[in-house]
Amino acid sequence: MPLSLRIVGQGIAGSLLAWSALRRGWNVEILQAPEQPSSSRVAAGIINPITGQRWVKSWRIDELLPVALELYGELEADLGVRILHRYQLRRFFRGERERRIAEQKRATGELAPYVVSADAEGLWIEPAFRVDLAVVVSTLRERWLRDGQLRFVAQTRDETPGANHRAADILEDFDGLTIWCRGAAELMSPRFAFAQMSLAKGEILSVESPAVSSDVILNSGHWLVPTGSGQARVGATYTPFAPENASPGSPPSSLPELCITAEARETLAASGRRFLGSDFRIIGQEVGWRVVTRDKHPVVGRHPRDPRHGILNGLGSKGALLTPYLAHQWCAHLATGAAFDRSVDLGRFV
């Protein structure tokens, strides 16, 4: 008999997990709250193999990148839309210290095979990618609404426009496995509070300029990633959120309203001017939450006291790279009982 599960949340985490499960012939129902828009619609979706001020490989990039490329290739073929865009990445040195660290690591081979050349200003890194997360989420949402596999539900007892069900009412009578992929909304629940996830706000600008290169991502603290037709996105800011109304391990009573700010706009515009000169115009500004953990690794697995509930969350700024691997972890666990990777297993917080 096919496995049955419910997935709550239809951002990139819930979308890729649900799609992977449906491909295996399992019965999947997806629940999404209309009042909780997915931050995946805002995220840039960059896969960058070399990150940080100390010039290190992204966590497990050699292992995770092939998994991601395979899944996105299959997803493109299934949906008939382009999702994955390949680039070179030009990363500039921000001072003598960064230059010294990068050159030392390149000389020892630590950055191979991703650094392809270097000069006095920085390194050329290849390949880098942009995953169009908004296209993934919206295209799958249209399909699942049409096929009756996705329902809009309210997160609270309040009447919510667009919601024809309430999540708690639906889940009360469900004895199968529910996997929570709600991103920032999960911090409002005590269910996984012991994982002590936290939030960081990020803002991004959309810009337009004839100086935008179509196939190169620029990185110098902030990044500029082309999106086609002379347009690009510049980002992202990073503002941690420390709730005043929560104690350690307990959920906050509310999250602040996500608002774009003039301060972020000017900060990112200054980076845009460094990349493009003065010949560009701002055509949009967006904001979203990142969910992060204490050890900066994502969190997956079953609840230690109630195995009918599981989680996929804590993607930080690397959801495009991490989510295919985490979806694979969940599907392997459900199919064969395989243990989750200890580095990402929810159990590490117990």
Side-chain angles (χ1 to χ4, degrees), residues 5 64 101 179 200 217 315:
L5 66 150
L64 271 58
I101 291 172
I179 305 177
I217 296 174
L315 303 175

Side-chain angles (χ1 to χ4, degrees), residues 253-292:
S253 59
S254 62
L255 300 180
E257 183 180 358
L258 271 174
C259 299
I260 61 174
T261 64
E263 179 183 7
R265 183 182 181 93
E266 180 49 41
T267 298
L268 296 175
S271 290
R273 288 189 288 271
R274 287 199 303 273
F275 291 135
L276 301 171
S278 59
D279 188 14
F280 77 96
R281 67 186 187 94
I282 298 171
I283 58 176
Q285 183 174 353
E286 297 172 289
V287 60
W289 289 121
R290 304 177 184 90
V291 181
V292 295

